[in-house]
Amino acid sequence: MIQIVEERSEGQQSQQFGIDEAISRRWDEVANQLRQEIQQLERQMWQNNVDRMFQKGNGVPKKYLQKLKQMKMGKSNRQCSICCNQFEKDELIIQLPCKHIYHKFCVESWLQNSTKCPNCRADVLEELRGLEK
Ligand SMILES: [Zn+2]
Ligand SMILES: [Zn+2]
């Protein structure tokens, strides 16, 4: 009795294994294909993100950047809210039309991708255009 059960289960097992193998081989193919498609999509998405992040013309054009008020830092214990470092004496800083100040380097790279003050979200480009009129 026990032997018969064992034989049967063995037979079932090997048959199952055959099907499993075929299925798993098919799955491997499908999975490989999907993996390739996903990789391609990921690459596309990554490229899109990079394009979006470094999109030029998204920020304040250079000719307006030059109009920003540039000055040297005096004694202060305030900090630049872009890099979170304190201003050192004699560092070049830029004051936006909203009166917020940042390191020249920090705010210039910020404004390449945004037209808004990182502190109060005032539109720098609009303000500068307003000054022009
Ligand atoms: Zn800074
Ligand atoms: Zn501001």
Side-chain angles (χ1 to χ4, degrees):
M1 194 59 185
I2 293 171
Q3 266 186 334
I4 293 167
V5 171
E6 272 180 356
E7 262 175 24
R8 248 187 222 157
S9 74
E10 255 174 43
Q12 269 177 352
Q13 257 178 7
S14 67
Q15 210 186 359
Q16 259 179 3
F17 185 73
I19 294 168
D20 278 354
E21 209 180 26
I23 290 175
S24 82
R25 218 174 289 155
R26 181 76 192 114
W27 267 113
D28 275 353
E29 274 172 38
V30 174
N32 267 334
Q33 212 178 324
L34 278 177
R35 213 172 293 143
Q36 275 174 13
E37 278 172 29
I38 289 170
Q39 271 176 0
Q40 214 177 341
L41 272 179
E42 272 179 348
R43 227 173 292 142
Q44 265 174 19
M45 268 162 63
W46 183 79
Q47 190 59 46
N48 281 348
N49 279 343
V50 169
D51 284 352
R52 214 173 302 146
M53 264 168 72
F54 293 99
Q55 209 173 39
K56 299 296 170 200
N58 229 2
V60 178
K62 254 212 172 92
K63 64 167 186 163
Y64 288 108
L65 281 183
Q66 286 161 358
K67 289 181 199 289
L68 287 169
K69 207 165 160 189
Q70 215 178 102
M71 44 197 178
K72 265 188 183 175
M73 198 62 210
K75 252 190 166 174
S76 166
N77 49 19
R78 292 163 73 178
Q79 63 176 27
C80 167
S81 36
I82 297 176
C83 68
C84 295
N85 287 317
Q86 284 206 347
F87 295 113
E88 304 273 343
K89 196 174 175 294
D90 288 337
E91 259 180 332
L92 264 185
I93 57 166
I94 276 184
Q95 189 181 45
L96 297 182
C98 58
K99 307 291 182 211
H100 285 122
I101 55 173
Y102 306 95
H103 291 121
K104 178 176 152 69
F105 177 80
C106 294
V107 80
E108 277 183 351
S109 45
W110 173 270
L111 291 177
Q112 272 173 18
N113 297 307
S114 169
T115 61
K116 299 206 164 82
C117 169
N119 237 323
C120 67
R121 315 298 295 165
D123 199 306
V124 179
L125 183 58
E126 242 168 56
E127 295 279 347
L128 288 174
R129 277 191 180 137
L131 288 180
E132 237 184 358
K133 283 167 199 163

